[in-house]
Amino acid sequence: MTTLLAGKPRALTAPAGDWVYLGPDAVGMLAWERALGPSWTRRDAAGPLEAEADTLRRPYADWVDALSRIHGQDPDWWTTTVAERNPLASAFFFEACCLSLLRRWEKSGRLPQAVVCGNGPLLAAARALLFPASAATGLGGRADAAVQGALLVARALQTALATASARLACSLTRRGGPAFPPSSRPRALVATFVHPESFDDEGRFSDRYFRSLHGKLEAAGYEVWVLPILVGLERSRLATVRTLRACGARVILPEDWLHWPDHLAAWRGSWRSLSLPRTAPPLDGLDVSSLLAAVRRRQARSRESLEARLLHALIPRLAAAGFKPALVLSWFENQRHEKALAAACRKAFPDADHAGYYSMLPSPNNVANLPTAAEREAGVLPRRIVCCGRHQASVLASLGSGIPIEVGPALRYEYLWEEAPLPPAPAVPTALLALHNRLDEAVELVETLRPVFDMDTGVRRWRVRLHPDYTRRELEAALGRPWPPALEEGPKDLRSSLAESSVVLSASSGVLVEAACLGRPVVVLARLCGLGFNPLAYVPDLGAPRASAAEIAAAVRAAVALPPEGLARLRDRGSALKDECFAPVSERTLAALVPPPAGPRP
């Protein structure tokens, strides 16, 4: 008889057995392992879950597409996490894979003695799957509804205060009323993420994503305006607004243009998303109703969904003020705010050429990146997508969306073509741990390597490269225990970090591909739990994940000890990989992002 568990880690009355942890949180998994004790053997779930994801990805995309054809005329639908299908922002796909794995184990008689679920909704879904006669029919009834309603009201009040603060900051720093000065040049709107690192020491704006494209657009005759998507800015809203007004770029601040009715409509959309989608059809034969109910509650409180609805309201406000760009460029990952932007631009700027720029490394489990036919039919995609390489264009076309996809310049990766090659491996063997933008994965990787630091790897110096979405202080707080003394921060400049490294380790960071392109040895770390987002999954000869501390130590030791002929083979392999993944910045490739400003492209 299998015991289903969730919540606070605790010991079991049974003396021993095998157990499995089905949750994305490695810290929680390790806590359960300590609580159960050494007599209980943990069964690996990461590998089997990857196999389930391989079989479930296409049915999942089709399942969401079917719901999108039902709800696609509702703008609020496209701001939900269900429609976004982003496994980096929602655990729904991961939890569906967990149910699929349990179903497979049950059919083969291989269920473990204990299954620890990462949360209550997954526990309810697992109980309904394995013990349907005893499964609860609801998730708390009226009491649960009251709690969720209270949480939603609290989020609305919090948002109202933040909105009032942002509007006050804009009014205090604005000279006169907001207006767009007359211009004889065609305008280009660039929607891009703004991080703390987006400003130089003198406060000037530096676009981490579109890089030098702003200057190239201006040189081609466009008047460039920036629509900032703020990420991870710790300073006060007033300080942020002052920085943006003085950064040297033409910046559109949403609070200058949005009205209070826009905010009220966005909050009303939060309440409506409690019932989107209205039904919970089975996913590949799995009952996912409890999982979907939890997603509805979370998306109703989602700040990202609220901001997406405000972005949808902002664009017609700009059009009403006379802002009519000939060209719209936006970062493309097919997220909620991008769908809202694309839909609003199609209506407010019908003559504008809107290109979504995909300049990152795809991974099979990041299904949100892949546009679908239902999204194209609903008009929530850019008019065309520009990818930074042939590999990315092929992956994004795999679901048959029918959206035009072309190859453009790899702006973020221009340094890969610098004439000077990386120097030989440093005299002091150095390993670089490159962290992804998700804090939970960063914690997991540091914990994964903790025992490796004391093993025979041949490495004399361990360095870490943090992602700009979080700080060292935030990572240390998430670890919950002292920082490993062997791990030091490396240079912020990526090329410098790679030049000073003998081997690069990560699980999901695109730095793995960049290092491989430059001929540096790489070691892909397997996830302890949760789904992997390995950007080298499409390159199996380079990207086989290593799971145990012994496997990782052996792979690092082999990489550090590579002879010159082995390094030469890696450089040749990297050169071929670079040609496939990254198009050089040239007049030909730039034409995809900087079309002639005489008018919109056909």
Side-chain angles (χ1 to χ4, degrees):
M1 178 74 174
T2 296
T3 300
L4 297 177
L5 302 162
K8 186 177 180 180
R10 55 195 181 277
L12 295 180
T13 55
D18 67 331
W19 70 287
V20 68
Y21 181 79
L22 299 180
D25 177 16
V27 175
M29 183 195 75
L30 296 173
W32 270 100
E33 196 164 45
R34 289 191 295 269
L36 291 172
S39 62
W40 282 83
T41 302
R42 178 171 61 83
R43 183 187 297 186
D44 172 57
L49 281 172
E50 287 294 334
E52 295 301 323
D54 287 342
T55 62
L56 203 58
R57 277 192 292 269
R58 185 59 191 249
Y60 173 55
D62 293 342
W63 182 81
V64 176
D65 250 22
L67 290 172
S68 293
R69 288 191 165 93
I70 296 172
H71 300 282
Q73 298 305 309
D74 184 349
D76 286 335
W77 163 252
W78 296 109
T79 64
T80 66
T81 53
V82 181
E84 186 182 43
R85 56 190 168 85
N86 184 356
L88 293 170
S90 168
F92 179 83
F93 178 63
F94 164 73
E95 290 167 353
C97 292
C98 291
L99 292 182
S100 183
L101 178 59
L102 289 176
R103 179 175 61 181
R104 188 178 303 276
W105 280 345
E106 182 192 32
K107 288 181 178 179
S108 62
R110 296 186 57 246
L111 281 171
Q113 290 177 258
V115 175
V116 178
C117 298
N119 55 47
L122 180 56
L123 175 67
R127 185 177 292 121
L129 173 69
L130 301 178
F131 312 112
S134 62
T137 58
L139 290 174
R142 293 181 179 178
D144 180 73
V147 170
Q148 298 304 325
L151 289 173
L152 188 53
V153 169
R155 171 52 63 92
L157 292 174
Q158 180 187 40
T159 305
L161 289 173
T163 299
S165 172
R167 292 176 66 87
L168 178 62
C170 280
S171 65
L172 289 175
T173 58
R174 187 174 58 234
R175 296 180 180 178
F180 292 102
S183 176
S184 60
R185 294 189 291 161
R187 284 172 168 151
L189 176 65
V190 179
T192 184
F193 294 108
V194 174
H195 294 264
E197 295 182 355
S198 298
F199 306 96
D200 62 20
D201 293 339
E202 297 180 3
R204 290 188 299 263
F205 176 64
S206 176
D207 194 335
R208 182 174 181 263
Y209 298 88
F210 287 96
R211 300 294 172 119
S212 60
L213 193 69
H214 297 256
K216 292 177 171 61
L217 287 166
E218 293 279 353
Y222 288 98
E223 180 184 278
V224 179
W225 288 78
V226 175
L227 178 58
I229 310 297
L230 304 182
V231 178
L233 292 173
E234 292 186 321
R235 63 186 77 182
S236 71
R237 194 56 180 244
L238 181 59
T240 298
V241 169
R242 281 176 173 160
T243 299
L244 288 170
R245 292 214 192 275
C247 72
R250 303 179 189 90
V251 177
I252 295 175
L253 297 178
E255 287 78 12
D256 278 340
W257 303 97
L258 291 169
H259 299 179
W260 276 110
D262 300 323
H263 294 280
L264 293 173
W267 296 334
R268 188 164 57 248
S270 296
W271 288 98
R272 293 193 65 246
S273 65
L274 281 168
S275 59
L276 289 175
R278 292 186 293 272
T279 59
L283 169 56
D284 197 38
L286 295 166
D287 178 3
V288 293
S289 54
S290 64
L291 303 182
L292 200 54
V295 172
R296 291 190 193 104
R297 295 193 296 270
R298 286 193 293 267
Q299 71 189 13
R301 303 194 302 271
S302 167
R303 177 180 56 82
E304 291 81 6
S305 291
L306 185 73
E307 290 176 350
R309 290 189 286 273
L310 289 173
L311 187 57
H312 189 267
L314 170 67
I315 298 302
R317 294 288 185 191
L318 300 180
F323 184 77
K324 298 289 180 67
L327 176 67
V328 177
L329 297 177
S330 60
W331 188 255
F332 183 81
E333 293 181 36
N334 212 11
Q335 297 182 31
R336 282 164 278 181
H337 74 273
E338 297 164 20
K339 290 181 169 71
L341 176 68
C345 285
R346 281 180 181 269
K347 291 183 178 180
F349 311 139
D351 296 326
D353 175 20
H354 182 184
Y357 181 47
Y358 186 83
S359 185
M360 54 185 289
L361 285 308
S363 61
N365 285 331
N366 200 353
V367 291
N369 289 170
L370 310 184
T372 69
E375 292 166 345
R376 175 184 56 79
E377 293 162 7
V380 296
L381 296 173
R383 297 186 183 276
R384 57 192 178 93
I385 297 173
V386 178
C387 294
C388 68
R390 296 192 305 271
H391 166 61
Q392 289 87 337
S394 174
V395 172
L396 263 61
S398 61
L399 290 185
S401 67
I403 197 79
I405 299 176
E406 55 192 307
V407 175
L411 297 170
R412 293 177 67 191
Y413 308 98
E414 193 169 4
Y415 78 96
L416 295 175
W417 283 271
E418 291 184 7
E419 291 185 6
L422 286 184
V428 177
T430 301
L432 175 67
L433 173 62
L435 300 180
H436 194 256
N437 69 335
R438 290 178 298 138
L439 192 58
D440 61 337
E441 182 183 299
V443 170
E444 180 179 322
L445 296 191
V446 172
E447 293 300 331
T448 296
L449 289 184
R450 204 179 277 270
V452 179
F453 296 142
D454 297 324
M455 300 175 73
D456 177 20
T457 61
V459 171
R460 299 279 301 278
R461 181 170 58 193
W462 289 89
R463 284 178 163 177
V464 64
R465 175 177 171 81
L466 303 179
H467 194 277
D469 279 2
Y470 49 81
T471 64
R472 165 78 176 265
R473 185 174 68 250
E474 289 171 330
L475 178 54
E476 288 181 346
L479 281 172
R481 58 176 177 154
W483 182 265
L487 195 58
E488 62 184 58
E489 281 194 66
K492 287 191 174 182
D493 177 68
L494 179 56
R495 184 176 173 85
S496 298
S497 291
L498 295 177
E500 298 175 16
S501 300
S502 312
V503 59
V504 177
L505 301 89
S506 187
S508 305
S509 174
V511 173
L512 283 170
V513 181
E514 295 170 67
C517 287
L518 292 171
R520 281 293 192 254
V522 297
V523 175
V524 179
L525 304 177
R527 297 293 308 275
L528 293 177
C529 54
L531 295 177
F533 296 90
N534 175 14
L536 282 172
Y538 298 99
V539 193
D541 61 312
L542 291 175
R546 313 291 176 172
S548 69
E551 288 178 330
I552 296 168
V556 171
R557 187 166 57 248
V560 170
L562 270 176
E565 57 270 23
L567 292 172
R569 284 194 297 270
L570 275 183
R571 285 193 293 271
D572 291 342
R573 182 69 180 88
S575 179
L577 182 65
K578 181 177 70 172
D579 290 343
E580 187 66 21
C581 292
F582 305 113
V585 179
S586 66
E587 185 176 343
R588 180 183 62 82
T589 59
L590 280 169
L593 293 176
V594 190
R601 291 163 46 131

